């Protein structure tokens, strides 16, 4: 497996990638758009992109992923795609009747410079229907950037400040996480007695039930009314800087809703910070139910610390999830020696610090001497591992090749997970998500210990 | 099955006029009383219709070029295109030298904004240098994506100079996603370059053994090619090359030495099949290795071509042995499947090939179609002279080859060829429509709306298509079988494949999970038990 990967860590200067740890913007935008109720995502480009993005999301969620495309031909690539987009809008509304079309772009349409807002303005949009857009050039950032851009699009097209006094509600921008995580974030917020609008919200869309009937627009998704109402909220909590903070900042600028950027609440510390933010907002006691959950988590961490302590771990994935995971494995006493994302630096155009700095700071605070890299690839990660081996690998499905090649226990977390099921229904965020992560990690490590043990060392109780 | 033109009109009636007019030409109700039922195919996709189609890049890199295992395939473009063709199509490969098997790698220039603005040629050249140093591959391909053509990067020039720099063949494929109207353009682009630069590039003049064949248009999805090769080798054939499942640059160079080319996927590889015949005099025969009958018939057709007593005897011996082994088990599965109906909508070849296998299971395919096939795949190759290339496809280059005077060999005398053509499909493909029954539906570039409507009307028992449809259909309570990825099963080709397919189809009907869709509280009354006499009278 991956026999052509050498140990020789020679610097590659071309800027090319071998085995990416990211993909391109539009898939993130498509995912975000699916988090709007009765929305059809539309890919303005040639149809290959749209098919690829639908396929990939479908494989991760094992649920229908609907989206339309402008289906560029060579002619439209030369003369512009205005006619294709106008025809698409007309056809989509008359055949598929969504309440809203959320258009994103591809490298094709960005390179030729199609002026999407102008094209939308001159399109036939039926009364009461909406078309929004986001520019999502594939040659900038990653799928996380695309998600962020589409969420910003929701704010810039829809959010309105209409009430003289802000309502006692918060906006919750969950970031590029699974529906299972979004459900958990909403549950925590509800338990804290805080009224919230989550956007985008793919619960009930990409984890929809089997009923014997196909719903093109499932029950879930943030409604257009809610999206408009985000401008009247008292606070926006952006969970995950890379995916969420720009939309929150835009909302602050546009509708004077203060923005608070927090880490994706993975692990005990980040979840504590999230709960504390909600507590500050609502000026309320944390309910016993949550205190109990947290206590259970700490109980489990204490009970099992000897499974993890001192174990060397490599983690890769999307930056917001990765930051939380790194912090959490540190809190378990593990040593994250390699941490790598494919997404570059801060989100494009934002003043954010780099992912690498964040991770290095955490590692330094824990006295861990490890590698941290933004804009990296899995070829690099594999070479690092060959040079400095690890006891555990955490990442998306693509990690399975490295795990097999180097015979490392492997825990699947993040996007995409294409070779296992159920993962998208269950959370990794919150105290319960942390319990699930512990279970996954300790199962992987103990299964390995069982596998490797000599008969006389094979333990009944571990 | 009484599907009528009237019903079709009704189905299309809600569509906007322009769409209705366009789509009508892509849908046929098979009627053998009409001599020539013409279908429109290989035309542009209607924007916003929710097509299943992909692009030329997918057809070139994803389908034809990508499976060549000893090459590094560089995708010149932003990261997405390379990423989505990384391990997603199950073209399996193994190699005696695993350091020369790059099938699990994904290499891209990862173009950034500055590359779009200032051009990406230098980055591409540098990446080639790195790839040569790290991997030492037998050859390299460069696969263009949408922005490459627009910004004017000259990938041919980069390839040429890298080839000179490193002494490693570098093939440039101008397969930008917007070319043509579907994956099909990419097949053609790939075929041209492979024919021009790879096939015949070795100095071998003789095939390495008797009954030398190439398997064309077989991508080893889930191990299909290995199962086919197992049987062919058993009979005594020498396989010179497989295009391109588990294929390699090394073996593809010798393809000119074969005596016969087998064409499994007509759409993707017929260009090479034709060119091999013109250049080297190698005839091709249309085969179908799907299903016990298809497999057996194809083996017999091959034996007929070679007309060799020993080969024919061995062919019958192997067929008898394999059929005796798998048929009894398939018959058991048939009991579960018998009498059911299927939809079969796949890319450019399986929409036809699996109908025979379904029939062997007692399942009738009542609707079938292709995403991107051309009229000849529907109507048969005899319509090729009448196909007009439209504006959207006219920029796909045509490669014209001439007879290679040194290497051209008459494999079979012209008289014998004519005689053979009466018995076996030599240089011939009759197309899908030919095999469909009256009243059955043929749809080109089926879209989501039509999928939904046809399912409501015809209520098929199983829908075979791809990943984008699968869960849509399953949500309706109808089994959905992926015929691109085989739902991660396989092989489905050959004798073992037929058995695997029968097992998987039977399983999709037999799984108990369908019984749980309706919760008990929805079909059972809230109040249970008999009402006591007189009760309720008081109110």
């Amino acid at each position: 497996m991956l026999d052509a990967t050498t140990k020789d860590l020679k610097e590659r200067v071309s800027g090319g990638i071998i085995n990416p740890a990211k993909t391109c913007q539009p898939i993130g935008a498509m995912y975000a758009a699916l988090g709007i109720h009765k929305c059809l995502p539309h890919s303005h480009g040639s149809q290959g992109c749209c098919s690829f993005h639908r396929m990939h999301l479908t494989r991760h969620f094992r649920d229908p992923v609907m989206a339309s495309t402008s289906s560029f031909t060579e002619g439209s690539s030369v003369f512009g795609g205005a006619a294709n987009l106008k025809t698409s809008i007309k056809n989509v509304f008359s055949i598929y009747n969504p309440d809203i079309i959320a258009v994103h772009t591809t490298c094709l349409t960005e390179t030729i410079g199609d002026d999407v807002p102008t094209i939308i303005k001159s399109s036939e949009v039926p009364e009461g229907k909406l078309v929004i857009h986001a520019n999502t050039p594939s040659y900038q950032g990653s799928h996380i950037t695309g998600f962020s851009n589409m969420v910003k699009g929701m704010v810039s097209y829809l959010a309105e400040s209409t009430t003289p006094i802000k309502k006692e509600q918060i906006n919750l921008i969950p970031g590029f996480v699974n529906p299972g995580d979004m459900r958990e974030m909403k549950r925590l917020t509800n338990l804290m007695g805080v009224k919230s609008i989550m956007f985008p919200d793919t619960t009930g869309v990409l984890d929809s039930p089997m009923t014997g009937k196909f719903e093109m627009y499932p029950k879930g998704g943030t409604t257009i009314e809610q999206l408009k109402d985000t401008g009247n909220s008292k606070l926006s909590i952006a969970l995950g800087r890379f995916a969420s903070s720009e939309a929150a900042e835009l909302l602050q600028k546009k509708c004077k809703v203060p923005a608070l950027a927090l880490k994706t609440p993975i692990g005990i510390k980040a979840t504590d910070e999230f709960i504390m933010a909600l507590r500050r907002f609502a000026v309320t006691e944390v309910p016993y139910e949550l205190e109990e959950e947290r206590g259970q988590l700490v109980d489990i961490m204490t009970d099992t610390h000897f499974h993890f302590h001192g174990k060397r771990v490599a983690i890769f994935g999307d930056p917001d999830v990765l930051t939380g995971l790194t912090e959490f494995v540190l809190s378990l006493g593990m040593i994250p020696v390699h941490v790598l994302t494919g997404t570059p630096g801060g989100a494009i155009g934002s003043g954010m610090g780099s992912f690498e700095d964040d991770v290095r700071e955490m590692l330094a605070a824990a006295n861990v001497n490890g590698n941290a890299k933004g804009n990296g690839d899995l070829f690099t990660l594999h070479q690092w591992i060959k040079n400095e081996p690890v006891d555990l690998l955490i990442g998306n499905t693509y990690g399975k090749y490295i795990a097999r090649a180097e015979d490392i226990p492997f825990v699947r977390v993040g996007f995409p997970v294409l070779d296992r099921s159920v993962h998208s229904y269950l959370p990794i965020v919150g105290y319960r998500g942390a319990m699930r992560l512990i279970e996954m990690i300790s199962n992987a490590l103990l299964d390995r210990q069982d596998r490797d043990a000599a008969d006389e060392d094979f333990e009944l109780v571990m | 099955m009484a599907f009528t033109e009237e019903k079709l009109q009704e189905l299309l009636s809600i569509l906007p006029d322009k769409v209705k007019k366009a789509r009508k030409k892509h849908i046929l109700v098979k009627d053998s009383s009409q001599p020539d039922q013409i279908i429109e195919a290989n035309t542009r996709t209607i924007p916003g219709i929710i097509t299943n189609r992909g692009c030329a890049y997918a057809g070139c890199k994803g389908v034809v070029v990508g499976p060549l295992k000893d090459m590094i395939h560089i995708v010149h473009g932003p990261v997405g295109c390379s990423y989505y063709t990384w391990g997603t199509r199950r073209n399996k490969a193994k190699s005696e030298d695993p350091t020369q098997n790059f099938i699990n790698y994904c290499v891209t220039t990862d173009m950034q904004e500055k590359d779009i603005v200032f051009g990406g040629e230098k980055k591409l050249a540098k990446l080639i240098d790195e790839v040569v140093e790290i991997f030492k591959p037998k050859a390299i391909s460069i696969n263009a994506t949408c922005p490459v053509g627009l910004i004017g990067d000259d990938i041919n020039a980069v390839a040429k100079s890298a080839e000179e720099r490193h002494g490693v063949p570098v093939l440039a494929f101008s397969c930008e996603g917007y070319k043509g109207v579907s994956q099909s353009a990419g097949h053609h682009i790939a075929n041209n370059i492979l024919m021009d630069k790879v096939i015949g590039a070795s100095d071998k003049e003789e095939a390495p053994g008797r009954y030398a064949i190439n398997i064309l248009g077989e991508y080893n999805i889930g191990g299909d090619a290995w199962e086919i090769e197992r049987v062919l080798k058993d009979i005594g054939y020498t396989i010179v090359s497989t295009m391109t499942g588990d294929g390699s640059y090394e073996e593809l160079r010798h393809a000119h030495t074969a005596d016969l080319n087998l064409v499994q996927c007509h759409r993707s590889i017929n260009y090479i099949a034709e060119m091999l015949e013109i250049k080297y005099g190698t005839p091709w025969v249309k085969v179908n290795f799907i299903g016990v009958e298809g497999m057996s018939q194809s083996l017999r057709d091959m034996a007929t071509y070679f007309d060799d007593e020993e080969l024919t005897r061995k062919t019958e011996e192997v067929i008898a042995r394999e059929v005796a082994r798998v048929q009894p088990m398939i018959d058991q599965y048939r009991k579960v499947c018998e009498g059911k109906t299927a939809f079969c909508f796949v890319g450019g070849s399986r929409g036809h090939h699996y109908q025979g296998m379904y029939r062997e299971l007692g399942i009738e395919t009542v609707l079938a179609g292709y995403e991107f096939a051309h009229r000849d795949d529907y109507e048969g190759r005899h319509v090729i002279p009448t196909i007009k290339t439209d504006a959207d496809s006219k920029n796909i280059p045509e490669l014209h080859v001439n007879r290679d005077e040194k290497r051209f060999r008459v494999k079979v005398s012209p008289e014998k060829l004519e005689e053979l053509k009466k018995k076996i499909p030599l240089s011939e493909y009759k197309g899908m429509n030919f095999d469909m029954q009256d009243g059955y539906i043929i749809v080109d570039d089926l879209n989501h709306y039509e999928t939904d409507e046809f399912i409501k009307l015809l209520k098929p028992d199983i829908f075979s298509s791809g990943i984008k449809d699968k869960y849509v259909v399953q949500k309706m309570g109808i089994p959905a079988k992926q015929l691109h990825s085989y739902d991660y099963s396989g092989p489905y080709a050959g004798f073992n494949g037929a058995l695997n397919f029968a097992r998987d189809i039977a399983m999709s009907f037999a799984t108990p999970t369908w019984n749980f869709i309706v919760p008990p509280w929805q079909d059972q009354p809230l109040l249970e038990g008999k009402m006591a006499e007189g009760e309720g009278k008081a109110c």
Side-chain angles (χ1 to χ4, degrees):
Chain A
M1 187 55 62
L2 299 180
D3 291 277
T5 302
T6 51
K7 200 175 167 181
D8 182 22
L9 260 172
K10 195 169 254 179
E11 198 197 349
R12 286 182 279 128
V13 295
S14 71
I17 282 182
I18 306 174
N19 300 352
K22 66 171 178 187
T23 182
C24 63
Q25 284 208 37
I27 195 172
M30 188 183 283
Y31 181 56
L34 289 164
I36 304 175
H37 184 61
K38 288 206 83 176
C39 173
L40 191 72
H42 181 84
S43 169
H44 184 50
S46 42
Q47 67 208 11
C49 314
C50 184
S51 268
F52 278 146
H53 298 141
R54 290 180 63 202
M55 287 157 97
H56 220 66
L57 290 170
T58 303
R59 287 175 175 133
H60 176 83
F61 295 105
R62 296 182 200 243
D63 244 356
V65 172
M66 305 310 291
S68 54
T69 162
S70 296
S71 293
F72 269 56
T73 57
E74 189 154 11
S76 22
S77 304
V78 175
F79 301 112
N84 291 57
L85 185 52
K86 285 182 196 173
T87 308
S88 297
I89 289 172
K90 182 171 191 285
N91 287 343
V92 165
F93 278 124
S94 50
I95 304 170
Y96 296 114
N97 197 29
D99 284 350
I100 180 169
I101 298 174
V103 181
H104 62 259
T105 57
T106 67
C107 49
L108 169 56
T109 40
E110 288 294 330
T111 302
I112 65 173
D114 266 358
D115 183 359
V116 175
T118 305
I119 302 171
I120 292 174
K121 274 184 201 126
S122 57
S123 294
E124 285 174 52
V125 179
E127 188 67 31
K129 303 282 180 176
L130 293 167
V131 181
I132 65 171
H133 101 286
N135 291 97
T136 51
S138 313
Y139 44 75
Q140 283 179 349
S142 74
H143 56 298
I144 299 299
T145 322
F147 180 92
S148 169
N149 284 337
M150 183 49 85
V151 185
K152 268 198 299 186
M154 294 173 198
V155 173
S156 65
Y157 274 89
L158 300 171
E160 299 170 338
S161 176
T162 51
T163 52
I165 302 164
K166 296 291 183 199
K167 294 184 183 175
E168 280 299 321
Q169 64 186 30
I170 62 162
N171 301 320
L172 216 49
I173 310 176
F176 198 123
V177 293
N178 282 324
D181 297 311
M182 295 183 188
R183 275 181 202 277
E184 183 63 8
M185 289 167 177
K186 286 195 287 191
R187 189 184 69 91
L188 293 174
T189 313
N190 285 340
L191 278 173
M192 288 298 293
V194 175
K195 201 170 162 245
S196 67
I197 298 170
M198 175 175 279
F199 77 99
D201 180 359
T202 57
T203 67
V205 180
L206 289 162
D207 59 357
S208 68
M210 168 68 106
T211 59
K213 195 162 176 275
F214 167 70
E215 302 285 353
M216 179 139 179
Y217 307 106
K219 284 202 166 70
T222 317
T223 64
I224 294 167
E225 280 314 306
Q226 286 175 314
L227 282 167
K228 288 182 178 165
D229 199 32
T230 54
N232 297 323
S233 297
K234 232 177 189 170
L235 174 71
S236 296
I237 298 184
L239 296 168
R241 291 189 324 178
F242 278 76
S244 305
S245 62
E246 287 195 23
E249 282 159 23
L250 184 62
L251 207 43
Q252 181 162 357
K253 210 184 279 171
K254 186 180 173 189
C255 301
K256 311 270 180 299
V257 180
L260 174 65
L262 294 178
K263 282 182 198 139
T264 305
I266 295 171
I268 189 155
K269 280 171 87 173
T271 305
D272 285 347
E273 282 162 29
F274 179 46
I275 298 295
M276 288 301 281
L278 294 171
R279 179 173 170 264
R280 272 196 303 279
F281 173 79
V283 199
T284 178
E285 294 295 320
V286 177
Y288 176 70
E289 199 175 338
L290 270 180
E291 205 170 300
E292 187 182 47
E293 263 175 35
R294 186 183 184 282
Q296 289 170 330
L297 171 63
V298 180
D299 190 57
I300 293 166
M301 289 167 71
T302 316
D303 293 347
T304 55
H305 71 275
F306 60 95
H307 295 162
F308 318 109
H309 199 93
K311 289 280 194 291
R312 296 159 58 83
V313 53
I315 320 173
F316 71 94
D318 300 331
D320 295 331
V321 169
L322 211 42
T323 313
L325 278 175
T326 306
E327 188 176 80
F328 185 47
V329 299
L330 281 167
S331 63
L332 293 172
M334 299 178 85
I335 308 169
V337 285
H338 311 303
V339 183
L340 178 142
T341 182
T343 297
I348 299 300
S350 80
M352 281 183 223
S354 86
F355 164 81
E356 291 178 15
D357 293 341
D358 284 358
V359 173
R360 285 207 186 99
E361 208 173 291
M362 278 193 268
L363 297 184
N367 249 330
V368 170
N369 191 11
N371 289 311
K373 194 167 168 58
N375 205 12
D377 61 23
L378 297 188
F379 189 79
T380 303
L381 181 72
H382 191 181
Q383 288 192 315
W384 282 350
I385 292 173
K386 277 182 182 291
N387 284 281
E388 293 175 74
V390 292
D391 304 303
L392 181 72
L393 177 65
I394 304 178
N396 67 31
T397 284
Y398 292 94
K400 76 189 286 184
Y401 295 92
I402 298 174
R404 182 178 166 99
E406 304 303 324
D407 197 17
I408 312 166
F410 176 42
V411 172
R412 288 164 178 80
V413 176
F415 177 85
V417 174
L418 309 169
D419 60 337
R420 295 293 186 271
S421 57
V422 195
H423 52 84
S424 58
Y425 293 78
L426 302 177
I428 58 164
V429 301
Y431 303 122
R432 286 195 176 168
M435 287 182 205
R436 180 168 167 250
L437 282 173
I438 290 181
E439 189 183 16
M440 294 197 289
I441 291 170
S442 79
N443 284 351
L445 291 170
L446 298 182
D447 279 350
R448 167 54 54 86
Q449 194 180 323
D450 279 345
R451 196 198 83 181
D452 291 348
D455 280 1
E456 62 273 26
D457 295 326
F458 193 62
E459 299 287 345
L460 177 71
V461 184
M462 296 169 89
Chain B
M1 255 286 307
F3 197 81
T4 56
E5 280 289 335
E6 292 70 48
K7 272 193 185 163
L8 183 58
Q9 293 290 359
E10 196 187 312
L11 186 148
L12 297 175
S13 64
I14 81 126
L15 298 174
D17 285 344
K18 261 181 154 172
V19 178
K20 195 182 339 180
K21 210 171 147 219
R23 285 303 302 158
K24 232 198 135 269
K25 300 176 192 156
H26 295 259
I27 307 174
L28 289 183
V29 181
K30 173 73 185 278
D31 179 0
S32 53
S33 69
Q34 295 182 37
D36 297 304
Q37 278 191 294
I38 294 169
I39 191 162
E40 192 163 278
N42 190 36
T43 56
R44 64 171 63 175
T45 313
I46 296 168
I49 196 80
I50 311 195
T51 178
N52 267 312
R53 282 175 166 180
C55 63
Y57 159 81
C60 178
K61 194 273 180 181
V63 173
V64 181
V65 179
L68 293 166
K69 62 190 169 190
D70 57 351
M71 295 177 70
I72 287 284
H73 305 293
I74 296 178
V75 179
H76 187 36
V79 64
C81 303
S82 68
Y83 180 85
Y84 299 115
T85 55
W86 181 21
T88 46
R89 204 162 182 269
R90 302 177 59 233
N91 40 257
K92 293 185 176 228
K94 62 185 166 200
S95 183
E96 276 171 26
D97 177 3
T99 65
Q100 282 296 308
N101 181 357
F102 307 114
I103 209 81
N104 293 326
Y105 289 88
C106 170
V107 183
T108 173
T109 49
D110 184 29
M111 284 177 119
Q112 298 298 307
E113 186 153 30
K114 64 177 192 310
D115 304 314
I116 300 291
V117 176
F118 301 110
E121 291 176 14
K122 280 186 186 145
K123 189 176 195 178
L124 175 60
K126 265 195 223 161
L127 181 61
I128 295 173
D129 295 347
E130 286 173 0
V131 156
V132 169
E133 197 188 335
I134 297 169
F135 297 111
K136 300 169 188 66
K138 291 284 191 303
I140 291 168
S141 75
I142 301 169
N143 303 270
T145 62
C146 286
V148 171
L150 302 173
I151 63 172
D153 269 5
D154 186 347
I155 59 169
N156 283 299
V158 175
K160 192 160 173 277
S161 88
E163 205 165 272
E164 284 162 7
R165 211 156 58 242
H166 298 292
V168 174
V170 183
L171 315 174
F173 295 88
S174 296
C175 53
E176 284 86 349
Y178 53 74
K179 288 195 170 160
V181 298
S182 69
Q183 290 94 314
S184 179
H187 301 150
H188 199 162
I189 291 161
N191 274 230
N192 288 349
I193 306 291
L194 294 181
M195 188 66 204
D196 197 31
K197 307 263 188 201
V198 186
I199 292 169
S202 82
D203 50 14
K204 277 211 179 120
E205 299 303 333
E206 292 296 327
R210 293 184 74 191
Y211 319 122
I213 53 166
N214 296 310
I215 308 175
L216 273 61
E218 168 49 58
Y219 303 100
N220 199 29
I221 306 299
D224 276 354
W226 292 331
E227 164 62 6
I228 297 164
E229 288 166 16
R230 175 184 73 84
V231 176
L232 294 182
K233 282 178 185 164
D234 198 6
I235 292 172
Y237 289 101
T238 302
I239 297 154
V240 180
S241 75
T242 303
M243 300 179 201
T244 50
D246 193 30
S248 67
Y249 176 83
E250 280 286 281
E251 69 173 27
L252 199 51
R253 296 179 311 139
H254 313 311
H256 62 284
T257 64
D259 299 317
L260 176 67
N261 293 316
L262 315 178
V263 171
Q264 172 67 28
C265 171
H266 176 262
R267 181 67 269 133
S268 68
I269 211 82
N270 77 91
Y271 315 98
I272 284 180
E274 274 181 34
M275 290 189 280
L276 281 171
E277 187 157 17
I278 296 167
K279 193 168 178 184
Y280 302 110
T282 323
W284 64 269
V285 64
K286 179 72 187 77
V287 290
N288 175 19
F289 292 128
I290 306 301
V292 171
E293 282 168 28
M295 181 74 182
S296 306
Q297 187 57 51
S298 294
L299 295 176
R300 289 187 175 119
D301 289 348
M302 292 168 67
T304 304
Y305 171 83
F306 282 100
D307 192 17
D308 175 291
E309 210 173 301
E310 170 60 19
L311 191 75
T312 305
R313 190 193 59 75
K314 187 73 186 170
T315 298
E316 291 305 329
E317 185 189 308
V318 169
I319 292 173
R321 184 197 69 203
E322 294 287 325
V323 172
R325 185 173 60 84
V326 299
Q327 196 63 53
M329 293 184 274
I330 292 176
D331 289 344
Q332 291 303 311
Y333 292 123
R334 184 185 161 109
K335 289 177 188 163
V336 182
C337 303
E338 187 96 56
K340 294 192 163 26
T341 59
F343 282 12
C344 199
F345 182 78
V346 206
S349 118
R350 291 184 179 100
H352 179 200
H353 291 137
Y354 276 79
Q355 293 188 32
M357 179 72 226
Y358 267 136
R359 199 161 291 149
E360 289 177 40
L361 290 174
I363 298 171
E364 280 298 310
T365 305
V366 296
L367 179 147
Y370 300 121
E371 283 173 41
F372 50 74
H374 300 193
R375 278 184 56 208
D376 41 323
D377 304 289
Y378 288 101
E379 301 173 51
R381 283 181 65 88
H382 67 279
V383 302
I384 289 177
T386 69
I387 298 176
K388 289 187 198 82
T389 307
D390 70 7
D392 294 321
S393 296
K394 70 174 191 300
N395 290 340
I396 312 301
E398 287 283 344
L399 178 66
H400 294 286
V401 294
N402 297 314
R403 177 182 291 209
D404 181 330
E405 292 302 344
K406 198 172 126 242
R407 285 172 160 174
F408 186 93
R409 281 187 295 126
V410 178
K411 269 90 178 177
V412 177
S413 71
E415 302 77 42
K416 180 83 190 290
L417 264 186
E418 285 314 307
E419 198 187 305
L420 280 171
K421 277 182 183 170
K422 288 178 195 140
K423 296 181 197 160
I424 62 174
L426 263 190
S427 313
E428 169 63 328
Y429 176 43
K430 284 213 171 83
M432 180 180 84
N433 300 8
F434 180 79
D435 280 332
M436 294 194 69
Q437 292 188 23
D438 283 353
Y440 288 2
I441 298 160
I442 298 151
V443 193
D444 177 66
D445 189 16
L446 182 74
N447 53 60
H448 174 74
Y449 169 74
E450 291 161 9
T451 301
D452 213 29
E453 293 296 311
F454 278 122
I455 286 178
K456 278 183 206 152
L457 273 169
L458 303 175
K459 302 184 175 58
D461 297 298
I462 189 160
F463 187 101
S464 30
S465 173
I467 185 70
K468 296 189 294 294
D469 292 332
K470 182 183 175 74
Y471 300 102
V472 170
V473 175
Q474 269 190 194
K475 283 273 197 270
M476 302 175 188
I478 298 168
K481 180 73 211 162
Q482 291 187 64
L483 281 188
H484 297 271
S485 74
Y486 306 164
D487 288 303
Y488 328 111
S489 177
Y492 279 174
F495 296 107
N496 288 334
L499 179 57
N500 289 338
F501 183 74
R503 178 201 62 212
D504 290 354
I505 295 300
M507 172 172 68
S508 63
F509 293 130
T511 175
T513 60
W514 301 116
N515 302 326
F516 297 97
I517 295 174
V518 180
W521 51 86
Q522 273 188 18
D523 59 2
Q524 283 172 28
L526 196 57
L527 291 172
E528 285 180 34
K530 220 173 120 186
M531 277 210 254
E533 208 176 326
E535 213 176 295
K537 273 186 187 164
C539 39

